[in-house]
Amino acid sequence: MTTELKVSHLNKKYRTKKALDDVSFEVKSGQIVGLVGPNGSGKTTLMKAALGLIKVDGEVEIQGDPVTFSKHKQLEKVGQLIEYPAIYPFLTGYDHLKMFADGKNQKARIDELVQDLGMQDYIKNRAKSYSLGMKQKLGIAMALINNPSLVILDEPMNGLDPHAVIEVRQLIQKLAKQGVTFLISSHILSELEKVIDHLIIFNEGKVVRDTTPQELNGSYKIRVVIKTNDDRAACETLNNAGFKMPKTKVSFLLKDETTLAVVIKFLVEQGFDVLDVDKQASDLESSLMKLLYPNESAQGGEA
């Protein structure tokens, strides 16, 4: 795969706060890359830097050509939605798309996007009557109208109802299969996990992990929760025998499958009834919590 976006040693400081701290990564053509991290970690600053909207130290390249605050030619290939869509209240949604659309076959492209995003019922209405979700869909359509090779979206699912989220997800996946590259920032991790194939984790202006969701989730052990007829007594008995458990719930990280059998066998031998066993595999949300807040997410030990 060729490199669509390359970020090298970006630094940005606002007064005493370092918003970007030696940030480097690459996004390959056709990838759907998630950009995640706590509020204030620098995600929006990074996206603005990639679009040449702010001055930064370091380098940004799109398809091998530089993008700076004063050099924007490569942005002709980029679609973007940062923070809130720029919408004129007295124009219709269709007017917006027509105004932004370049080149030939404008009507066919507009009609296709309107169909894909389910905007048929209101696209000819003035935008002042639009709900937050309708405006968000229009902003996404505006970002996609000129068939960009790279699309940068900041919180694209903001304000969307469940059906609209599915429509946007399916459109992103459809375009990615056609070679379009996406960099998406979102706090809706359960939805982001369904669409991305790569992940950049941000914290305090730094890239703390450049990975895939599968690699991140697989780096954390499965948590097991065992329900007994007396959980408090079972935990006390296990702790007295050298197993590390919380005080009220039989819960531990699984080292390997034999560990589970050892714990269950021990509980039965001590006279406890094992009523249920729940294996809790890591998802994106839990994996991020363990990475960014290891002390807060710790529950129980390793048996």
Side-chain angles (χ1 to χ4, degrees):
M1 289 188 292
T2 59
T3 299
E4 186 72 25
L5 171 66
K6 183 177 181 180
V7 171
S8 302
H9 306 293
L10 288 193
N11 289 279
K12 177 67 177 178
K13 197 171 186 178
Y14 294 108
R15 295 184 180 178
T16 59
K17 179 179 174 58
K18 203 160 190 180
L20 299 176
D21 188 356
D22 196 31
V23 175
S24 298
F25 64 87
E26 294 184 11
V27 178
K28 301 297 185 180
S29 298
Q31 280 188 319
I32 306 174
V33 178
L35 182 63
V36 300
N39 288 334
S41 60
K43 302 185 299 297
T44 299
T45 300
L46 173 60
M47 289 183 155
K48 288 180 177 179
L51 291 165
L53 298 176
I54 57 174
K55 292 182 179 180
V56 294
D57 295 324
E59 297 180 351
V60 175
E61 294 180 2
I62 295 176
Q63 295 183 356
D65 292 325
V67 173
T68 67
F69 186 70
S70 58
K71 188 173 183 179
H72 298 95
K73 183 172 177 56
Q74 283 300 96
L75 297 185
E76 295 175 358
K77 305 173 184 178
V78 181
Q80 58 88 14
L81 175 60
I82 303 294
E83 295 180 329
Y84 303 102
I87 290 176
Y88 301 92
F90 294 100
L91 294 180
T92 68
Y94 194 91
D95 290 335
H96 281 82
L97 296 177
K98 189 174 180 181
M99 178 171 58
F100 281 90
D102 294 331
K104 300 178 181 179
N105 302 317
Q106 289 184 1
K107 185 178 185 306
R109 178 59 177 156
I110 291 172
D111 290 347
E112 181 182 14
L113 278 174
V114 168
Q115 179 72 31
D116 284 339
L117 290 169
M119 302 170 67
Q120 302 94 318
D121 292 343
Y122 58 85
I123 194 64
K124 296 294 181 68
N125 297 343
R126 288 186 178 184
K128 67 177 183 178
S129 67
Y130 285 15
S131 67
L132 175 61
M134 292 174 181
K135 291 177 181 177
Q136 192 72 0
K137 278 189 179 183
L138 179 57
I140 293 169
M142 289 160 60
L144 299 174
I145 190 63
N146 290 316
N147 297 302
S149 62
L150 171 64
V151 182
I152 297 177
L153 301 175
D154 189 10
E155 300 293 343
M157 306 304 181
N158 185 37
L160 300 183
D161 61 40
H163 186 259
V165 167
I166 293 172
E167 290 173 326
V168 171
R169 183 208 311 157
Q170 291 176 339
L171 179 56
I172 290 172
Q173 291 171 327
K174 169 186 170 182
L175 293 175
K177 289 178 181 178
Q178 297 172 4
V180 180
T181 307
F182 287 87
L183 179 63
I184 304 173
S185 171
S186 179
H187 286 104
I188 308 176
L189 300 180
S190 59
E191 183 56 41
L192 191 65
E193 188 171 19
K194 295 175 184 176
V195 71
I196 61 174
D197 49 42
H198 203 83
L199 185 64
I200 297 170
I201 303 172
F202 236 59
N203 196 24
E204 298 181 346
K206 299 179 181 180
V207 175
V208 296
R209 190 73 69 87
D210 188 341
T211 184
T212 67
Q214 294 78 15
E215 288 172 349
L216 180 67
N217 293 343
S219 65
Y220 295 101
K221 298 182 179 72
I222 294 172
R223 178 166 294 282
V224 174
V225 178
I226 298 176
K227 177 69 175 173
T228 72
N229 59 315
D230 190 338
D231 290 342
R232 185 178 291 273
C235 288
E236 183 178 356
T237 303
L238 284 163
N239 281 317
N240 289 339
F243 295 95
K244 296 179 181 179
M245 297 288 160
K247 291 183 178 180
T248 59
K249 182 170 67 173
V250 181
S251 174
F252 57 91
L253 296 176
L254 192 61
K255 293 179 180 178
D256 54 60
E257 290 299 324
T258 60
T259 308
L260 177 58
V262 169
V263 174
I264 292 176
K265 183 174 182 291
F266 177 82
L267 287 171
V268 172
E269 288 175 346
Q270 297 301 310
F272 293 98
D273 295 332
V274 175
L275 306 178
D276 187 40
V277 178
D278 182 22
K279 288 185 178 181
Q280 301 173 351
S282 292
D283 56 11
L284 182 55
E285 181 177 285
S286 62
S287 295
L288 280 173
M289 287 296 293
K290 292 168 186 172
L291 176 64
L292 298 175
Y293 310 104
N295 294 331
E296 294 180 21
S297 61
Q299 300 177 30
E302 293 192 18

